[in-house]
Amino acid sequence: MTVLDTAAGQITGGPPAIGEPCVLIKLGEVVLKGKNREVFERRLQNNLRSAVRDIAPVRIWRRHGVMVVRVERGGGADVATVDALARRITDVMGIVWVHRAWRVGKDPDSVVGAALELMAGRTGSFAVRSRRRDKRFPLTSTELDRLVGSKIVEAYGLPVKLKEPEHTLSIEVDRDEVFVFTDGLPGQGGLPVGMSGRALVLLSGGIDSPVAAYRMMRRGLRVDYLHFSGMPFTGPESIYKAYALVRELDRFQGGSRLFVVPFGKAQQQIKSSGADRLAVVAQRRLMLRTGEILARRLGGLALITGDSLGQVSSQTLANMTAVDDAVELPILRPLVGMDKVEIMDTARRIGTLTISELPDEDCCTLLAPRRAETRAKIEDLRQIDRRLDAEELAEKLADSVQEHRPVYGEGNAA
Ligand code: ATP
Ligand code: MG
């Protein structure tokens, strides 16, 4: 490879002035246009700011298709802080890639300095990819690739490989500065939380409902959580699990609220209402009725469950239809078409699986009939509801909620 013979190509000795470490964010859903795009970016900016509040005060710049997060002057823009920012930002919905970048002046020297710093200590092949969003730069993209590439070869002896390199060094020339960065961390994708409104998740202690919550947050819903415990006929273990799950999921939105309803007595009433084989579906209807009342109080526009078609006998199409009949709000079931293996993979990735697998006394087992109905008839269920006075019962249950505020990261410091 030839070294470009430009004055700018010469690096002088001594430590290079490499500028300022910052985080460069590639946004998702780039198809969004016009007003939606504006809403997306404004929402994301706010969400980013609150997600990193505990790490450092930041300034966020919007550029074409990217955002730049910089530590406020005096906030200590050291590499460790910026690394922590980048890691935290990977949990914020609406982002495709998160890069720890160097922001440097618009001259080839500074770019080379930052590139050498970023590639230090690495082994394996690399490629340099430059883009000029602003064409006023002394070198073309190809010239810049060659210059920086040759300096890296010279300094570290790494082999250049343009196709599938082990490291990609990216250079983006902007209007006032240049960003230099290597491979980033993948983000969650999707839309910024809050962009699609608010909804209430029915959260059991199981594997599925936390994944359902995650998937709907990723589509821009801010979620509240509702858990039914078997109290006073079970211990509080399921509440601890729900709490731990919400605390883990809180990193995707912040400010999460968990509402807990003691459901044991209502279950007894269902049992003595003669619901028999319909008890499980009748109970699910009562849960959703209660959820609907609570959701309306909280400004929620939908209910979310972890149902997956056919996974258990209560999740047949007929039974889902029978549950839908009890409420007016839409019930979102993001896992309806997913296999258990896929659901578990997601649960593992988002850190909820190990919590869900902890033992507890699920309130539902209190009520399991010998043989559950798989084709519940809506008319029979309505009759059970009348006997129970389900509407009033649901109001009472909704009034009995206890609110908790699990915060991501709390309790970990001890
Ligand atoms: P999960 O893994 O979420 O517990 P599951 O496969 O065990 O789901 P079911 O027990 O039939 O399925 O529950 C279906 C859905 O009903 C759950 O995903 C959840 O949304 C809701 N649900 C069930 N039990 C409770 C509970 N105790 N509190 C709140 N919601 C519940
Ligand atoms: Mg369950």
Side-chain angles (χ1 to χ4, degrees), residues 202-204 206-209 228 284 305-307 311 314-315 363:
L202 277 83
L203 187 79
S204 67
I207 292 168
D208 304 325
S209 38
F228 295 91
R284 192 64 29 87
T305 71
D307 295 310
Q311 196 192 85
S314 60
Q315 296 174 17
C363 76

Side-chain angles (χ1 to χ4, degrees), residues 11-19 109-110 112-114 116-117:
I11 343 177
T12 48
I18 46 176
D109 269 2
S110 308
V112 169
L116 291 179
E117 159 76 20

Side-chain angles (χ1 to χ4, degrees), residues 201-210 212 226-230 238 263 267 280 283-284 287-288 304-308 311-315 335 340 343 356 362-364:
V201 178
L202 277 83
L203 187 79
S204 67
I207 292 168
D208 304 325
S209 38
L226 172 60
H227 173 71
F228 295 91
S229 83
S238 80
F263 201 55
Q267 288 179 306
V280 173
Q283 138 166 312
R284 192 64 29 87
M287 284 182 178
L288 282 138
I304 298 167
T305 71
D307 295 310
S308 161
Q311 196 192 85
V312 291
S313 62
S314 60
Q315 296 174 17
L335 312 187
K340 194 75 190 183
I343 297 170
S356 295
D362 185 1
C363 76
C364 301

Side-chain angles (χ1 to χ4, degrees), residues 21-41:
C22 63
V23 181
L24 195 77
I25 296 170
K26 298 281 164 84
L27 307 187
E29 303 278 322
V30 275
V31 287
L32 288 178
K33 293 266 156 39
K35 192 160 170 291
N36 273 342
R37 169 125 218 155
E38 185 63 28
V39 173
F40 180 112
E41 295 194 355

